[in-house]
Amino acid sequence: MRSGLLFTFMLLSFIQLFAQPVTTISGIAESYVGEEVKVFTIDDYLSRITTQVASTTVQKDSTFKVSFFNKQTRKLRIEVGKNHFHIYTQPKAKYKVFVSESSPYIDANAERIEVEFFFLDLPKTDINYKILMFEDAQLSFLEEHYYHKSLKSVNFVSKLDTFKNEISQRYATDTSKFFHAYMRYSFASIDNLSFLGQRNAFEKYDFYIKPETVLYQNDRYMDYILHYYKLYETQLPNEVNELFYKGVVNSSPTIILNALGGDIALKNIRLRELIMIRMLSEVFYTNIYPQTNVLTVLDSVANHAIFDEHKKIAKNIKFRLLDLVPGSEMPDFNISVNGTKKYNSDYRGKHLYIHFANRNVQQSIDDLKLISLLKKKYGKHIQFLTILTSNPTDTLLNDASSFIKTHNVSWDLAVLSNQDPLLERLNVSSYPHYLLLDAAGNVVASPALLPRPNNEYETIENIFVRIERRYRLLEQRE
């Protein structure tokens, strides 16, 4: 009997597994043979944190294919090698694309950029086809009718209304809720342009926000909402603002939510809780609201939000707020220096200046001479570390002695693959890149000033002088 029940349970599990909607993306990427293709969902449009859901490798014949479970129409980020592009996907859909090496608007040698891609055999029923056709029609309308004279003429409003009606009628029988919302909030964004007769803020709320629920995965909707409520704390009525402040000081999301309910544009409790998270992230960097209290409120929302979607968003926002900001603790890492494994804890006791360089970016290599001079002047109180990145096949990954000798590197140097996840974790997207940590391992600056003058003629040496002065005062007191 038990074996029969077990077999039935396993059979049902397999049926459920194979009943899951699967989306497939395949294509050609001639410039990325051997590179990894990764698929990411966008967790939320406040933090814009992504989660990897699938991966594959571009084969020798330039083709790739990746499949993943996908229950809803949404926008995804696709990374190919160091570059990326975005694509809308539907459940059970199959996409064929051609991925370009770069973009005609960007330097051909640039890395970590959004590249062009082209659909192959895209059906007219697909969300991407609909959006492309709609965006083309909208752009043509604006190019034809939105010019300087139209800003002071009511004729533009009339033409815009006509355009909206024509588009609405064209897609009246379309059953995609995602696409209809996408069009609606594209029109809403046009209403944000400056022209005579445009809707005021209250009219926009009544027409575009009040009737809707929260569409967490519709990028057009979220862009509009986040624009409407941008820096909203400064727009609150005085009484509501005071109660909002009281809620933060008391670390009480309940007080804050009740306070925000007094604003006419935050009557919807689901939207209100979402905008509360957004507002907390915006006031975090001001000198008005205590940061510890803001983090406490976000922790509370992450555990006890009224709506489950907001638990993860609050957690993601807290991560973003503490992600390498001054005062945050440096994430754990380990590197190999002259064959010895070192951890970030090994560098505590003195300030640490980290230089991220790439051997193919000449400026980051030229900085080695400047770092050498800084080490001679400030090496007593400040440590230096160069993390050199290179291709996974580079012999430097196994032995950097020749590089160290050639460039007279007299401080710690480690070599990492340019695909090492540490680089993404530390937000290293271009070279050279610098971080400055204090003696306790906390972030002082990310990114830090360079050893070369910036546009305001500042260099990291301005900071080093103050650091050395502080250490000398401590030594005198001892």
Side-chain angles (χ1 to χ4, degrees):
M1 182 67 179
R2 287 183 180 178
S3 60
L5 288 173
L6 180 61
F7 175 77
T8 302
F9 175 76
M10 292 177 65
L11 181 62
L12 289 173
S13 298
F14 277 115
I15 291 173
Q16 288 180 340
L17 177 65
F18 286 105
Q20 292 275 10
V22 174
T23 296
T24 299
I25 301 175
S26 62
I28 302 170
E30 295 176 343
S31 303
Y32 301 92
V33 172
E35 299 277 11
E36 192 172 10
V37 179
K38 301 177 184 178
V39 180
F40 295 84
T41 58
I42 300 169
D43 287 2
D44 67 88
Y45 282 89
L46 270 72
S47 70
R48 294 190 179 270
I49 286 176
T50 59
T51 298
Q52 183 175 334
V53 295
S55 68
T56 189
T57 302
V58 180
Q59 302 302 305
K60 292 181 179 180
D61 62 356
S62 303
T63 64
F64 66 91
K65 183 177 181 180
V66 61
S67 298
F68 49 93
F69 294 131
N70 182 30
K71 295 182 179 180
Q72 60 179 310
T73 299
R74 66 194 306 174
K75 189 177 186 179
L76 299 180
R77 176 186 171 98
I78 314 297
E79 293 187 0
V80 186
K82 298 177 185 177
N83 300 328
H84 67 275
F85 62 91
H86 290 89
I87 182 175
Y88 292 92
T89 57
Q90 296 177 173
K92 300 182 180 180
K94 295 181 179 180
Y95 298 98
K96 295 179 67 176
V97 298
F98 177 87
V99 185
S100 297
E101 180 178 9
S102 185
S103 167
Y105 310 106
I106 300 174
D107 189 310
N109 297 317
E111 294 181 343
R112 301 181 187 274
I113 59 172
E114 183 156 13
V115 295
E116 281 193 327
F117 74 100
F118 305 93
F119 287 104
L120 305 174
D121 304 322
L122 185 65
K124 293 182 179 180
T125 55
D126 185 76
I127 185 65
N128 291 279
Y129 184 91
K130 297 173 187 176
I131 288 176
L132 287 170
M133 294 301 100
F134 167 73
E135 290 288 1
D136 184 64
Q138 185 169 251
L139 179 60
S140 296
F141 168 79
L142 291 174
E143 288 178 339
E144 183 178 355
H145 300 292
Y146 189 73
Y147 43 87
H148 183 69
K149 290 183 179 179
S150 69
L151 304 184
K152 299 180 180 179
S153 172
V154 293
N155 289 336
F156 179 74
V157 177
S158 176
K159 291 175 181 177
L160 179 58
D161 287 340
T162 300
F163 172 70
K164 290 179 181 178
N165 289 332
E166 289 176 353
I167 293 294
S168 297
Q169 290 174 16
R170 185 184 306 175
Y171 295 103
T173 59
D174 192 284
T175 58
S176 172
K177 293 181 179 179
F178 185 97
F179 180 57
H180 279 283
Y182 185 97
M183 288 194 299
R184 178 177 177 79
Y185 290 97
S186 294
F187 292 149
S189 297
I190 293 180
D191 278 353
N192 284 334
L193 299 174
S194 297
F195 55 86
L196 191 66
Q198 68 184 104
R199 289 185 173 92
N200 60 41
F202 295 112
E203 290 173 330
K204 290 175 183 177
Y205 168 76
D206 282 335
F207 191 75
Y208 291 115
I209 300 175
K210 186 177 180 179
E212 291 290 345
T213 184
V214 177
L215 308 175
Y216 297 98
Q217 283 298 319
N218 192 300
D219 57 314
R220 274 292 193 178
Y221 168 85
M222 289 304 301
D223 286 347
Y224 183 80
I225 291 296
L226 296 180
H227 179 271
Y228 186 91
Y229 291 100
K230 185 176 182 179
L231 301 176
Y232 202 67
E233 180 264 346
T234 62
Q235 303 174 49
L236 294 173
N238 289 336
E239 182 179 350
V240 176
N241 194 298
E242 290 174 6
L243 291 172
F244 174 78
Y245 180 81
K246 178 181 177 181
V248 175
V249 170
N250 286 275
S251 301
S252 171
T254 302
I255 294 177
I256 297 173
L257 272 177
N258 289 338
L260 295 179
D263 184 84
I264 192 171
L266 290 173
K267 296 299 182 184
N268 181 325
I269 184 65
R270 179 184 286 271
L271 180 62
R272 190 193 316 167
E273 190 173 55
L274 178 68
I275 298 306
M276 176 185 73
I277 298 171
R278 168 67 181 272
M279 290 171 62
L280 289 169
S281 71
E282 290 178 329
V283 303
F284 184 79
Y285 294 108
T286 69
N287 296 320
I288 302 172
Y289 293 82
Q291 292 186 341
T292 302
N293 297 60
V294 171
L295 296 176
T296 300
V297 174
L298 288 173
D299 275 334
S300 180
V301 177
N303 290 305
H304 308 292
I306 300 173
F307 301 95
D308 287 341
E309 294 90 342
H310 300 159
K311 293 179 180 179
K312 188 170 186 178
I313 294 175
K315 182 179 179 181
N316 287 347
I317 285 294
K318 181 184 176 183
F319 173 82
R320 281 295 190 212
L321 293 177
L322 298 178
D323 186 24
L324 294 185
V325 298
S328 64
E329 186 176 354
M330 179 71 170
D332 291 333
F333 69 86
N334 66 81
I335 52 177
S336 178
V337 178
N338 294 325
T340 302
K341 183 173 285 189
K342 282 196 171 186
Y343 299 85
N344 48 337
S345 57
D346 293 324
Y347 292 97
R348 289 180 181 169
K350 291 182 181 181
H351 278 66
L352 175 64
Y353 188 51
I354 306 178
H355 164 224
F356 291 90
N358 186 288
R359 70 181 308 186
N360 297 318
V361 180
Q362 191 57 43
Q363 190 176 73
S364 66
I365 301 302
D366 291 343
D367 280 1
L368 292 169
K369 296 178 182 178
L370 300 177
I371 294 173
S372 179
L373 296 174
L374 290 172
K375 182 181 180 297
K376 290 178 182 178
K377 293 179 68 174
Y378 304 101
K380 180 180 179 181
H381 300 113
I382 297 171
Q383 302 171 97
F384 296 82
L385 169 64
T386 288
I387 296 180
L388 183 66
T389 67
S390 194
N391 297 324
T393 57
D394 198 322
T395 55
L396 274 180
L397 290 170
N398 299 318
D399 184 6
S401 57
S402 60
F403 182 91
I404 292 172
K405 184 177 180 180
T406 300
H407 296 281
N408 297 314
V409 178
S410 59
W411 57 94
D412 281 2
L413 181 142
V415 184
L416 293 181
S417 163
N418 54 19
Q419 297 179 10
D420 195 295
L422 177 65
L423 301 175
E424 183 176 354
R425 179 68 184 88
L426 299 180
N427 298 328
V428 180
S429 58
S430 60
Y431 300 94
H433 184 90
Y434 292 88
L435 295 177
L436 179 63
L437 310 182
D438 65 16
N442 297 320
V443 177
V444 175
S446 174
L449 290 170
L450 279 62
R452 288 172 285 103
N454 60 16
N455 292 335
E456 298 179 0
Y457 302 100
E458 297 174 316
T459 73
I460 191 63
E461 189 166 10
N462 300 345
I463 306 297
F464 285 176
V465 169
R466 294 200 292 269
I467 292 172
E468 188 175 51
R469 187 180 300 133
R470 189 188 314 160
Y471 278 117
R472 287 178 177 172
L473 287 173
L474 291 172
E475 291 169 353
Q476 290 174 2
R477 290 174 184 172
E478 293 174 355

